[in-house]
Each structure stands twice: as structure tokens, then as C-alpha cells.
């Protein structure tokens, strides 16, 4: 039997457009909380710019800390969009339908948020112009295009552009539905955005072909982004434990792990907040859970390889970093928490079907993964830089300062606020995708059982 | 077969065999021996004979104490091992994902489990030939020399007992036993049904292997749970054994080579080669083996996407390796790049990339070719050639890299070309799985009868609006 009944187009329009056409009671208070946090962070950033990076606990040799950790974390979250939308679309996974839009939008907002981090980290944000322009025209000091620190913004901006295009393209049919249900200025805006969509066969064909082509084209960009982020570290020969060949795939798989977990959690929240029980069903969360078991296990394999081959070389400097990661308090405790929360707790839960279908348990598992993945980035960056190697006079450690904690916390408020605002003007579950899925649904009678089935073209 | 002329796919994209005839037809094809089959059998016997000659001459000439003489043997073994060990996994993986198109592929892949036993025999000389981890000539205080070469087996309390040889053999035994378990569980329902259709030794064998299978609900549940558990375990075991083999027999034999991406790179090319070989076998069975009505085009269409994905994944991992070493500019890493990629083995490297990536990629992104049965098979053949060259580059390179107890190279070693006995041994090692597989495919049903019957229930053609489409049922 199918899980959930087949919905009519009227019901789909009514339910999924409700957050846009009616404002929920909790909406503005939630936005207000986010705004307050962001204002506090804005003041903190202003204070930091005024006083300099000295108010953070960044030091020599630990010159990268909370900001860069958070940058890598949000880049990781951004990998959910393409993973769920492009790959599952190409794989024709039916359960992807309610999850795609939220994943794509999360990609865009997390990328935007990630990009604020290195800018804040410079301490003098106007200096970012030196990433593109000569430092000194007269002396011809040009940016070093051979550094991954230049590749980074290029890759991220390409990913942001293509992801935005991906979202807009998928939104066109939904814009047309909104155009037909609004009046006044919103009507004019949605008319403009819907690009004259009439829903005729030619437009549908073009939209589908464009979606498939963009899915295929965006995949290399998707892989390149986190590979290049990993090379920010991997290319640094001087920092022991960073120069590892596995970093690129390790980072990409880790990003998918944290990103898909974040999407699963966002879907659970949407289901609860907007009452979308008929759209985001247990079977969808279950499927995400199963996918996450595979992704998490792949990530764990790469993690084990990274650690084993860190020790394999038997180089004193590298062993010193590993010793710091695994045996020296309090970093060792963080390492244990990181591994347990990223892999052992969530995977143990996801192996049970009933746990995958329990939204509370799924929420805990997904949050656990993201706590762990945040720690992972911290534990890659800080122990490597702490330089606990041959000469003790170069040793140093790092713990975040209050301003760093405030700014990092505010990034979560920023993404939440942007997601909420988006849901206020655009549907976070794609209408046409849900309708298409319902049309393709059917059932097959086998013996005494009725088995859910789908029409497929290939 | 249903007509679906409105589709843009060829008519034989989806095939729906008659459930009541499957067992008879499959058993008829299993017991029939054609001239072409006998010719292939003779060729494989010939190859094995050449291999035995080459092996005996090499053994009596250089012996096993000089491991550098066995580079081509190891390369050929690795090639055979990575394919045959990954094949049962392909069946398990697509069973996990509930892909209906896998059904004709399952048994063809699982039958490789039988070759796993012969892998152990082929591997024994390599266990003996592998130099010890501890440096026998180590002089304390000697500059640039290690007391023990870098290896995955070194712990805080030294080398574990029997490492690496005993553990390597145990790994291979574990693989063989688990894959045979998977094959046996999968075979049970088919053999229980087929034992009434055959005579002689086949009847005895089928009766013994099918045990007390009656097809009760409990037995089916147990069989599926068993396949699921063994499949999961086998997956982890395959990845682990690939890591062990490529670390012990490649990385740790080249001074200064520390490369965490090599095990996944090796595993991915193993999966790519396996899928390639399975596509070739399925193409042959479809075209000349009389299994056309069981092996639809949808299998090639679906598997080709995965082959394309694996080709891209392998290239990505290779690029990640290259990029890190090239950008790092460390002397030790630069010399490894020059040795394995750009100087000593440059021709083999570029040919490897051509066959492992460029040719399969070009074939698989081109829809008119991808929609044929021969296109994916051709891409699979290309991947196999690429995989063989990869094995030569990595293992011959490692077995002839010079002082394995040094910290790094002093100069890049020259390439090593095969002599006649190397060629004989390579042919022999390839002949062994060919011979075993040919015998297996005539001994046991080459199609998973129960899975194809199940698939026939889950797939049908259905009308939607004005067109006729495939309806795929997906039970939980």
C-alpha cells in the first residue's frame, strides 16, 4: 500500500502555498529572535574591526580558529542541495521530491553565510579586494592565483551562481501558480519571475531538459568546491597532518554527510511548523536515514584512512599532532565526542527502521552529526596549527573568545532567518514535483499484497 | 514481451520472461555445451598451462627470495583479485538498493565467488616473496635507512604476530568463505527447483547444496536476511582487504610513498573493472548464450550510468592524489610522481588514463552508444585494459623500486619490462579465473532464477494518459 494518499492538485496548492498566503503566528517572533542575535553579532563585528583581531584568541601559530572552522562547516552544509537534488534527480529516486527545494535553498544560504566567515576573519574586510586586484599597482604586486585561497572564492561563487540558477529554474512553474493566486505588487513580482510560464508541453520539456542538464553540469562544481576547500589545508606542507592526499574526497563525503543530515532536520522542522504531514512523510525521512547510513560509513572509511596514513609515515612531527588529537586532554575528549556523535550514535540509530521513522530520534541523530562534523573541522584545523612538535617554544593552544562565539552563533541565526524569509515568499516544497510524483504513483497486486509502484520511462 | 511503441527506447529494453518456463530454459542452457564454449575452455586450459610453465621456470630460476622478479605475477594477480573479489559485492550492492535491472546480473556476479578459492592458491607465492618488514641489514645510526620499512602493521608494540603474510592470507580466506556463503544462499532456491530437472552428478550436487529448501515463508525470510547480513559484512571485508593488499604490496615497497588515497583509488578501479567485466559477460550471454529474453537493454542502460560514475570517481581520486603531491613540491613526493606517472612508467600511466577514463567517458556520455548493449560492454572492455595497466604500473613499479628500507629515493628507478616467463605467468593467471568461471557457468545456473521470477512479478507495462510505460513496484 502507498504511504499517504494521493493528493489532488487543489490540495497541494492550498497546503504548500499556505505559509505564503497566510502568516503563521510564530513567524515574526522567530524572525525577531534571529534579528536580535544578528544585531548583537553585527555590533561585535564592528567592535572587532575597530579594535582589531586582537580581541579574538587567534594567535601564532594558531592563526585559524572558530571563523575558518565555521566557514568549512557551512560550505559542508551547502553540499546537501546538489546531493539531494541533482544526484537523486539523475537517479530518479522518487522520495527526493519533497526534499529538493529545501536542500537547494539551504545550499544557497549556507554558501552565502560561509563566505562571510573569511571576510570577517581578515579583520579588515576591505582587504578582500586584494584577492582580485593588485596589492600595489605601482610595484605590480598581483594576487597569487596559484594559491587555493584564490581558488576558493572562485569555486564558491561558481557554485553559488549555478545553485541559484538551479533553484530559480525549478521555481518557475511554482512562480506561475503564485502569480495566479496573488494580486497587486506580489502578483506583478511573481508574473515577472514566472517568465511567461503557461505550462504548455514545450515549456515543460524545456524545463525538464534544463533541469537534467544543470544537474549534470553542477556535479563537477559541487565536487570541486569542497575539494578546493580541503586543499586550503592539503597544500600546506608545513602544517603536519594537513598534507594528505585523501583530504579532497574526505571533505566532500563529510560535507554530504553533514549537509544531508541538516536537510533531514530542516524537513522535520518544516513538517512540524507548517503541518506538512501529508508531504513530508515518514517514508521520506526513512529514505534519508538509509542514504545517510551509506554516506556516514563512506565518511568513516575516509576518516580511518586519514588517521592510519597519518601514523603510517612514522614522522615525529606528524605523530605529535596525532598524539595531541587522540591522547592529550582536552583535545582527546573532543576527538572522542566527534567520532561518537558523527558516526557511532547516528548510524546505530539509523540501522533501526523504527528509529528512522521516529522524528524525535531522527532529529537527535541529525543534530548529533552536525555537532560532530563541526568538531571535526575544528580538530583538523587547530591541533595541526598548535605546532606541538620539536621545539616547545613554538607551542601554543587556542580557545575561542566571546566575540568569536557570538559571531559563529549568529551564522546559525542568519541561515535560520533567511530560510524563514524564503518560506514566506516562495514554496519550500516544490508544488509541481509533488504533483508529478502523485501522477506517477500506482500500485501492483502481487498475490494477496498490494505493492506501491511507480511509472518509469527507463 | 509487451509492446511499447510509444517509448523512445528499443523494444527489448525491458524483458518479461514467462515465469513458468524460466527454470526449464535456464537449465537447458546450463547443461548445453556449444562448440564455442569448448573452444574457450581449451583456450583457457592452454593459458593455464603456459602459466604453469612460466611459474615453474621463474621459481627454479630466481626463486621466491628475490621479490623483484615477481612484479608481473603480482600485477596479474592483483588484476584478477580486484575483479573477482568485487564481483559478489556488485550483486549484493544492487540487491541492497532494490534495483530491478540487477536481476540477470546477480548470479553472473556471484559465481565469481568460486574463483576466490583459487585466488588464495595464487596468492601463496606472493606471501612468501614479500620481504620482511624489519630491515635485516639495518645498522643503528645509519643515515637514511629505516630499522623497519613503513607498513600498516607497525604498532606501538612492534609488528603483530604473523604480519603481514598470515593476516593477508586470512583476509583472502575470509573473502572466499563469505562470498561462497553468499553464492550458496542465493543458489538454494534455484537448486531446490532445478534438482528435479537434471540427472547424474548435477542432481547429486544440487540436492546436496539445496539442503532442505522447501520455499516456506520462514526460509525465504531467513535467506533474505542472510544475504543482507553477509552482503554487508562482505562489503566491509572487501574494502578492508583491498586496503591491506595495496598497502602491503605496493605502497610499503616504495621508499617514502605515503598516500592515504591509494586504497580508495584501488577499490574504485576494482569496482569499475568488475562492472566492466560483468557487462562484457552479460553482453556475450545475451548475444550468443541464448539469454536474450532475460537480459534486457535496461540492464546495460542502468549499469552504464554506474560505470560512468565509477570512471569519473576514479579520475577524481587520481587527480586529488596528483594535485596534493604536485602542489606540495616535496622532493620525495615529486620523485614518486616522476616514477609512477611522468618518467619511468609514463607511457603505461597515460595509456591507463586513456583506457580507464577517456574511452569509457566518451562512450558513456554519448546516449546513442549508451543505449546499446555493445556500447557499455565496449566501455567495460576499455576499463579492463585500463585496470590491467594500472596494476602493472602500481605493482611492477613497487616490486622494482629499489631500496625499500630507505627514507626516500636517491634517484628514480627505470621501468621494468616483462620477459617471456612474465608473459606466460600473466596469461596463466588470467587463464585460471577464465577456466574456473567457464566450468562454474556450466555447473550452476547462470541466471538467478528466483530473482528473475520475482522481478517478473514486480515489473509490468502500464498505460498512463496516452503512453505506455514501465511500472516498477518497490516493496519494503
Amino acid at each position: 500500500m502507498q504511504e499517504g494518499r494521493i493528493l489532488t492538485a487543489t490540495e497541494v496548492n492550498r497546503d504548500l502555498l499556505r505559509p505564503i498566503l497566510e502568516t503563521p503566528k510564530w513567524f515574526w517572533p522567530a524572525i525577531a529572535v534571529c534579528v536580535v542575535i544578528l544585531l548583537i553579532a553585527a555590533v561585535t563585528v564592528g567592535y572587532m574591526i575597530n579594535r582589531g583581531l586582537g580581541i579574538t584568541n587567534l594567535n601564532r601559530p594558531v592563526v585559524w580558529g572558530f571563523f575558518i572552522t565555521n566557514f568549512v562547516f557551512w560550505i559542508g552544509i551547502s553540499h546537501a542541495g546538489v546531493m539531494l537534488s541533482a544526484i537523486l534527480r539523475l537517479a530518479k529516486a522518487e522520495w527526493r521530491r519533497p526534499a529538493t527545494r529545501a536542500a537547494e535553498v539551504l545550499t544557497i544560504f549556507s554558501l552565502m553565510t560561509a563566505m562571510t566567515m573569511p571576510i570577517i576573519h581578515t579583520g579588515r574586510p576591505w582587504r578582500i579586494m586584494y584577492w582580485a586586484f593588485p596589492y600595489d599597482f605601482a610595484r605590480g604586486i598581483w594576487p597569487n592565483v596559484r594559491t587555493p585561497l584564490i581558488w576558493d572564492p572562485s569555486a564558491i561563487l561558481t557554485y553559488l551562481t549555478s545553485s541559484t540558477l538551479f533553484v530559480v529554474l525549478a521555481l518557475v512553474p511554482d512562480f506561475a501558480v503564485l502569480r495566479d493566486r496573488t494580486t497587486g505588487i506580489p502578483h506583478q513580482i511573481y508574473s515577472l519571475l514566472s517568465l511567461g510560464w503557461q505550462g504548455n508541453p514545450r515549456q515543460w520539456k524545456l524545463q525538464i531538459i534544463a533541469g537534467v542538464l544543470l544537474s549534470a553540469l553542477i556535479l563537477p562544481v559541487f565536487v570541486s568546491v569542497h575539494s578546493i576547500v580541503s586543499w586550503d589545508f592539503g597544500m600546506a606542507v608545513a602544517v603536519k597532518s594537513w598534507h594528505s592526499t585523501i583530504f579532497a574526497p574526505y571533505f566532500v563525503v563529510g560535507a554530504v554527510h553533514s549537509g544531508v543530515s541538516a536537510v533531514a532536520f530542516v524537513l522535520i522542522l518544516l513538517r512540524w511548523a507548517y503541518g506538512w504531514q501529508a508531504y513530508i512523510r515518514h517514508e521520506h525521512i526513512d529514505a534519508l536515514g538509509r542514504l545517510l547510513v551509506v554516506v556516514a560509513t563512506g565518511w568513516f572509511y575516509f576518516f580511518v584512512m586519514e588517521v592510519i596514513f597519518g601514523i603510517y609515515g612514522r614522522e615525529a612531527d606528524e605523530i605529535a599532532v596525532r598524539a595531541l588529537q587522540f591522547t592529550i586532554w582536552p583535545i582527546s575528549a573532543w576527538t572522542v565526542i566527534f567520532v561518537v556523535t558523527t558516526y557511532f550514535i547516528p548510524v546505530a540509530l539509523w540501522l533501526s527502521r523504527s528509529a528512522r521513522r521516529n522524528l524525535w530520534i531522527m532529529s537527535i541523530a541529525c543534530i548529533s552529526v552536525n555537532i560532530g562534523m563541526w568538531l571535526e573541522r575544528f580538530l583538523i584545523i587547530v591541533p595541526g596549527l598548535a605546532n606541538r612538535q620539536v621545539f616547545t617554544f613554538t607551542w601554543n593552544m587556542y580557545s575561542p573568545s566571546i566575540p568569536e562565539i557570538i559571531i559563529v552563533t549568529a551564522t546559525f541565526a542568519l541561515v535560520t532567518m533567511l530560510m524563514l524569509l524564503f518560506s514566506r515568499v516562495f514554496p519550500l516544497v516544490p508544488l509541481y514535483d509533488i504533483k508529478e510524483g502523485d501522477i506517477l504513483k500506482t500500485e501492483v497486486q502481487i498475490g494477496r499484497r498490494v505493492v506501491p509502484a511507480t511509472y518509469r520511462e527507463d | 514481451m509487451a509492446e511499447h511503441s510509444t517509448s523512445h527506447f528499443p523494444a527489448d529494453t525491458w524483458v518479461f520472461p514467462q515465469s513458468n518456463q524460466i527454470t526449464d530454459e535456464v537449465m537447458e542452457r546450463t547443461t548445453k555445451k556449444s562448440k564455442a564454449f569448448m573452444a574457450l575452455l581449451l583456450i583457457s586450459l592452454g593459458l593455464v598451462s603456459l602459466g604453469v610453465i612460466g611459474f615453474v621456470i621463474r621459481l627454479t630460476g630466481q626463486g621466491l627470495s628475490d621479490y623483484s622478479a615477481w612484479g608481473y605475477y603480482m600485477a596479474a594477480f592483483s588484476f584478477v583479485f580486484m575483479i573477482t573479489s568485487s564481483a559478489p559485492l556488485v550483486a549484493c550492492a544492487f540487491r541492497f538498493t532494490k534495483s530491478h535491472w540487477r536481476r540477470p546480473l546477480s548470479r553472473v556476479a556471484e559465481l565469481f565467488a568460486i574463483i576466490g578459492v583459487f585466488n588464495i592458491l595464487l596468492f601463496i607465492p606472493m606471501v612468501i616473496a614479500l620481504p620482511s618488514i624489519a630491515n635485516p641489514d639495518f645498522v643503528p645510526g645509519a643515515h637514511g635507512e629505516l630499522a623497519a620499512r613503513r607498513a600498516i602493521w607497525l604498532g606501538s608494540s612492534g609488528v603483530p604476530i604473523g604480519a603481514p603474510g598470515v593476516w593477508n592470507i586470512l583476509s583472502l580466506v575470509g573473502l572466499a568463505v563469505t562470498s561462497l556463503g553468499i553464492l550458496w544462499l542465493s543458489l538454494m532456491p534455484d537448486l531446490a527447483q532445478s534438482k528435479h530437472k537434471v540427472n547424474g552428478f548435477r542432481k547429486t550436487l544440487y540436492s546436496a547444496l539445496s539442503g532442505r529448501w522447501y520455499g516456506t515463508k520462514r526460509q525465504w525470510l531467513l535467506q533474505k536476511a542472510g544475504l543482507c547480513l553477509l552482503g554487508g559484512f562482505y562489503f566491509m571485508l572487501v574494502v578492508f582487504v583491498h586496503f591491506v593488499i595495496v598497502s602491503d604490496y605496493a605502497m610499503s615497497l616504495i621508499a617514502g610513498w605515503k598516500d592515504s588515497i591509494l586504497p580508495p583509488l584501488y577499490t574504485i578501479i576494482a569496482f569499475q573493472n568488475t562492472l566492466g567485466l560483468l557487462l562484457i559477460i552479460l553482453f556475450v550471454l545475451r548475444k550468443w548464450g541464448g539469454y536474450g529474453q532475460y537480459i534486457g537493454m535496461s540492464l546495460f542502460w542502468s549499469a552504464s550510468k554506474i560505470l560512468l560514475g565509477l570512471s569519473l570517481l576514479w579520475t577524481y581520486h587520481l587527480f586529488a592524489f596528483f594535485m596534493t603531491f604536485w602542489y606540495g613540491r616535496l622532493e620525495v613526493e615529486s620523485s614518486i610522481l616522476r616514477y609512477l606517472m611522468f618518467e619511468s612508467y609514463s607511457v603505461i600511466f597515460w595509456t591507463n588514463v586513456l583506457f580507464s577514463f577517456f574511452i569509457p567517458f566518451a562512450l558513456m556520455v554519448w546516449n546513442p552508444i549508451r543505449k546499446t548493449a555493445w556500447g557499455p560492454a565496449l566501455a567495460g572492455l576499455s576499463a579492463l585494459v585500463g585496470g590491467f595497466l594500472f596494476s602493472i604500473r602500481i605493482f611492477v613499479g613497487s616490486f622494482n623500486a629499489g631500496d625499500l628500507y630507505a627514507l626516500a629515493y636517491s634517484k628514480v628507478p627505470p621501468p621494468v619490462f616483462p620477459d617471456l616467463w612474465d608473459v606466460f605467468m600473466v596469461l596463466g593467471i588470467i587463464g585460471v579465473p577464465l577456466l574456473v568461471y567457464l566450468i562454474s557457468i556450466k555447473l550452476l545456473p547462470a541466471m538467478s532464477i528466483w530473482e528473475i521470477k520475482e522481478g517478473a512479478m514486480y515489473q509490468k507495462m502500464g498505460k498512463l494518459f496516452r503512453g505506455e510505460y514501465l511500472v516498477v513496484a518497490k516493496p519494503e
Side-chain angles (χ1 to χ4, degrees):
Chain A
M1 289 281 279
Q2 299 282 3
E3 286 189 41
R5 65 183 176 85
I6 294 174
L7 300 151
T8 63
T10 317
E11 284 176 304
V12 174
N13 289 343
R14 185 195 62 207
D15 295 343
L16 297 182
L17 296 181
R18 192 184 300 128
I20 301 166
L21 304 174
E22 300 164 22
T23 310
K25 281 180 186 168
W26 51 263
F27 184 82
W28 291 116
I31 292 287
V33 171
C34 293
V35 169
V36 169
I37 297 171
L38 284 169
L39 280 174
I40 295 169
V43 171
T44 312
V45 171
Y47 177 67
M48 196 183 81
I49 290 169
N50 180 261
R51 301 298 297 269
L53 275 179
I55 67 159
T56 67
N57 280 348
L58 295 170
N59 57 65
R60 285 200 183 90
V62 189
V63 289
W64 286 359
F66 252 40
F67 295 147
I68 300 301
T69 300
N70 207 41
F71 160 71
V72 183
F73 173 78
W74 283 114
I75 293 286
I77 296 289
S78 77
H79 278 57
V82 170
M83 174 68 201
L84 283 176
S85 201
I87 295 179
L88 296 182
R89 184 193 288 241
L90 291 175
K92 295 193 166 61
E94 280 299 311
W95 57 267
R96 77 180 188 277
R97 293 179 187 277
T100 51
R101 177 76 48 78
E104 291 158 9
V105 174
L106 188 62
T107 292
I108 293 175
F109 293 145
S110 50
L111 273 178
M112 287 160 64
T113 308
M115 288 191 78
T116 61
M117 285 289 98
I119 294 171
I120 293 171
H121 177 80
T122 57
R124 300 283 183 272
W126 51 92
R127 286 184 177 172
I128 59 161
M129 75 175 204
Y130 299 131
W131 282 352
F133 294 104
Y135 187 77
D136 186 334
F137 273 103
R139 292 182 188 133
I141 302 174
W142 290 85
N144 180 8
V145 292
R146 291 180 301 178
T147 162
L149 299 180
I150 292 293
W151 308 343
D152 244 353
S154 315
I156 293 168
L157 282 173
T158 312
Y159 189 42
L160 184 60
T161 311
S162 46
S163 300
T164 310
L165 201 61
F166 203 58
V167 172
V168 171
L169 189 82
L171 268 168
V172 171
D174 293 353
F175 284 145
V177 178
L178 279 162
R179 172 195 62 196
D180 301 339
R181 278 161 184 75
T182 48
T183 53
I185 294 172
H187 172 76
Q188 286 173 356
I189 294 170
Y190 288 126
S191 298
L192 196 71
L193 291 171
S194 60
L195 304 170
W197 180 268
Q198 300 293 323
N200 60 43
R202 186 172 168 275
Q203 286 180 331
W204 276 116
K205 193 177 175 185
L206 282 173
Q207 205 256 0
I208 290 167
I209 291 172
V212 170
L213 282 179
L214 258 181
S215 301
L217 288 173
I218 209 170
L219 282 176
V221 184
F222 152 79
V223 174
S224 76
V225 171
H226 225 50
S227 300
I228 289 174
V229 169
S230 82
W231 291 335
D232 288 346
F233 307 97
M235 300 308 175
V237 179
V239 182
K240 290 297 165 186
S241 81
W242 282 8
H243 184 58
S244 173
T245 51
I246 209 165
F247 259 33
Y250 175 45
F251 270 52
V252 172
V253 176
V256 172
H257 185 28
S258 65
V260 176
S261 301
V263 169
F265 181 61
V266 167
L267 287 177
I268 293 168
L269 282 182
L270 287 176
R271 178 189 151 103
W272 169 76
Y274 293 122
W276 285 339
Q277 283 81 357
Y279 301 89
I280 301 165
R281 295 189 297 272
H282 288 98
E283 64 179 308
H284 299 123
I285 306 295
D286 182 358
L288 279 170
R290 276 181 286 172
L291 174 70
L292 278 165
V293 172
V294 178
V295 176
T297 306
W299 170 83
F300 190 68
Y301 168 61
F302 282 117
F303 166 71
V304 171
M305 287 296 115
E306 200 265 326
V307 173
I308 285 179
F309 285 99
I311 301 163
Y312 175 88
R314 285 184 278 144
E315 294 156 17
D317 291 354
E318 175 111 20
I319 299 282
V321 178
R322 301 297 169 183
L324 178 58
Q325 282 174 331
F326 290 97
T327 60
I328 298 173
W329 177 268
I331 296 285
S332 58
W334 289 118
T335 304
V336 171
I337 293 170
F338 140 60
V339 179
V340 170
T341 54
T342 310
Y343 188 73
F344 290 104
I345 290 177
V347 171
L349 293 171
W350 290 329
L351 285 176
S352 152
R353 185 174 185 268
S354 54
R356 288 196 306 269
R357 284 173 173 257
N358 183 315
L359 300 181
W360 282 107
I361 292 177
M362 274 302 282
S363 302
I364 291 166
C366 293
I367 292 170
S368 164
V369 167
N370 278 298
I371 291 171
M373 289 308 293
W374 203 96
L375 277 174
E376 184 219 33
R377 278 69 180 246
F378 182 80
L379 291 166
I380 286 173
I381 295 169
V382 173
L385 287 170
N387 209 30
R388 295 218 167 185
Q389 295 160 19
V390 186
F391 302 112
T392 51
F393 59 84
T394 63
W395 289 17
N396 214 335
M397 226 15 229
Y398 165 82
S399 59
S401 65
I402 301 287
E404 286 172 279
I405 294 169
I406 291 172
I407 294 168
V408 164
T409 309
T411 58
F412 290 85
L414 178 63
V415 174
T416 309
M417 189 185 76
L418 291 171
M419 288 292 286
L420 285 174
L421 289 175
F422 185 93
S423 74
R424 186 69 190 82
V425 282
F426 305 122
L428 261 179
V429 172
L431 282 80
Y432 81 91
D433 229 1
I434 295 288
K435 289 172 192 168
E436 186 186 56
D438 278 350
I439 289 170
L440 295 178
K441 269 183 197 166
T442 183
E443 285 170 339
V444 171
Q445 177 93 33
I446 299 170
R448 280 175 296 176
R449 283 195 65 191
V450 178
V451 180
T454 321
Y455 283 98
R456 293 278 299 263
E457 220 182 344
D458 61 45
Chain B
M1 190 182 297
E3 290 295 324
H4 39 98
S5 53
T6 48
S7 166
H8 60 280
F9 287 92
D12 57 349
T13 297
W14 303 292
V15 289
F16 306 99
Q18 297 294 322
S19 283
N20 52 351
Q21 293 171 9
I22 294 176
T23 313
D24 288 340
E25 284 178 359
V26 170
M27 288 323 297
E28 188 199 323
R29 283 164 183 73
T30 305
T31 48
K32 197 173 120 187
K33 290 181 198 71
S34 65
K35 281 182 184 170
F37 172 80
M38 293 310 288
L40 263 175
L41 203 66
L42 282 174
I43 290 169
S44 59
L45 266 172
L47 290 175
V48 173
S49 311
L50 287 178
V52 172
I53 293 167
F55 178 76
V56 171
I57 291 175
R58 177 55 42 86
L59 192 66
T60 49
Q62 272 96 344
L64 286 165
S65 53
D66 177 16
Y67 76 102
S68 63
W70 295 91
Y72 278 92
Y73 181 100
M74 183 60 206
F77 168 76
S78 152
F79 178 62
V80 166
F81 164 74
M82 64 186 189
I83 293 171
T84 53
S85 62
S86 308
L89 185 64
V90 173
C92 298
F94 296 130
R95 208 174 266 142
F96 271 128
T97 57
K98 300 189 178 110
S99 309
H100 286 305
W101 57 264
R102 76 169 199 273
R103 295 176 189 278
L105 175 145
S106 295
R107 183 62 46 73
V108 173
E110 285 162 352
L111 282 175
F112 277 91
I114 298 168
I115 301 169
V117 179
F118 295 86
N119 279 343
I120 300 168
L121 300 175
L122 289 172
F123 186 56
I124 289 170
M126 290 301 92
V127 173
I128 300 165
L130 190 70
S132 73
I133 291 174
N135 182 355
D137 305 322
F138 179 66
V139 180
H143 180 68
E145 279 282 309
L146 293 166
R149 67 186 163 90
R150 286 166 168 172
I152 52 170
W153 300 103
L154 280 175
S156 53
S157 55
V159 182
I161 299 165
V166 174
W167 297 99
N168 287 343
I169 282 283
L170 279 177
S171 305
L172 261 74
V173 170
L175 275 182
V177 171
T178 315
S179 61
L180 284 173
I182 292 169
L183 175 66
W184 177 60
L185 268 180
S186 169
L187 270 171
M188 268 180 133
D190 293 352
L191 297 186
Q193 204 178 20
S194 309
K195 67 185 175 191
H196 307 297
K197 317 255 178 196
V198 288
N199 297 309
F201 76 96
R202 275 200 186 87
K203 193 176 182 69
T204 318
L205 179 74
Y206 288 12
S207 303
L209 287 176
S210 61
R212 292 183 174 187
W213 180 272
Y214 297 109
T216 62
K217 189 175 178 183
R218 186 169 171 273
Q219 283 182 327
W220 277 113
L221 286 174
L222 280 174
Q223 190 241 21
K224 295 212 167 175
L227 282 174
C228 183
L229 286 175
L230 280 177
F233 178 67
Y234 191 73
F235 177 75
M236 290 188 275
L237 203 58
V238 165
V239 172
F240 171 73
V241 180
H242 283 180
F243 154 65
V244 168
I245 296 291
V246 81
S247 305
D248 276 344
Y249 287 85
M251 201 188 312
S252 73
L253 299 181
I254 294 188
W257 191 10
K258 190 182 87 168
D259 177 13
S260 47
I261 213 168
L262 186 66
L265 188 74
Y266 185 69
T267 303
I268 291 165
I269 203 168
F271 292 171
Q272 185 209 28
N273 279 217
T274 305
L275 194 58
L277 181 61
L278 291 175
L279 284 169
I280 296 169
I281 295 171
L282 286 160
F283 175 72
V284 171
L285 289 177
R286 176 188 151 94
K287 184 95 176 165
W288 297 291
Y291 289 102
Q293 67 206 87
Y294 296 98
I295 307 169
M297 296 277 281
S298 60
L299 186 148
F300 295 94
W301 174 246
S302 304
S304 66
K305 293 179 197 170
I306 294 160
L307 190 64
L308 173 66
L310 288 169
S311 306
L312 286 167
L313 206 58
W314 179 79
T315 313
Y316 166 64
H317 279 68
L318 184 74
F319 182 71
F321 155 74
F322 161 74
M323 197 63 184
T324 314
F325 272 29
W326 175 78
Y327 198 95
R329 292 282 197 281
L330 291 175
E331 198 180 341
V332 59
E333 293 175 352
S334 299
S335 57
I336 285 163
L337 285 185
R338 284 193 287 133
Y339 182 46
L340 293 176
M341 288 167 115
F342 302 120
E343 276 181 24
S344 305
Y345 289 93
S346 65
V347 176
I348 292 184
F349 167 68
W350 287 113
T351 323
N352 166 202
V353 174
L354 176 74
F355 282 100
S356 291
F357 174 63
F358 286 109
I359 294 176
F361 180 76
L363 290 171
M364 294 298 92
V365 291
W366 196 3
N367 272 353
I369 289 185
R370 199 149 60 93
K371 281 182 185 173
T372 62
W374 60 266
L378 190 63
L381 184 64
S382 171
L384 279 180
V385 174
F388 182 64
L389 293 169
F390 172 83
S391 280
I392 288 181
R393 187 167 67 86
I394 297 295
F395 290 97
V396 176
S398 302
F399 272 56
N400 295 278
D403 185 3
L404 70 165
Y405 300 106
L407 275 171
Y409 284 124
S410 47
K411 61 175 185 174
V412 176
V416 171
F417 298 101
D419 60 16
L420 183 66
W421 312 125
D422 282 326
V423 175
F424 273 25
M425 284 195 294
V426 168
L427 291 174
I429 290 172
I430 292 171
V432 170
L434 182 64
L435 178 68
V436 176
Y437 196 79
L438 285 171
I439 295 169
S440 311
I441 216 163
K442 286 294 163 190
L443 202 62
L444 299 164
M447 289 289 127
S448 182
I449 298 169
W450 64 272
E451 276 186 285
I452 290 175
K453 281 184 178 175
E454 194 182 55
M457 287 193 285
Y458 288 146
Q459 293 175 101
K460 64 172 189 178
M461 296 306 292
K463 271 191 100 67
L464 181 69
F465 300 119
R466 283 172 296 176
E468 197 173 23
Y469 299 93
L470 178 73
V471 176
V472 178
K474 286 223 171 183
E476 269 306 307

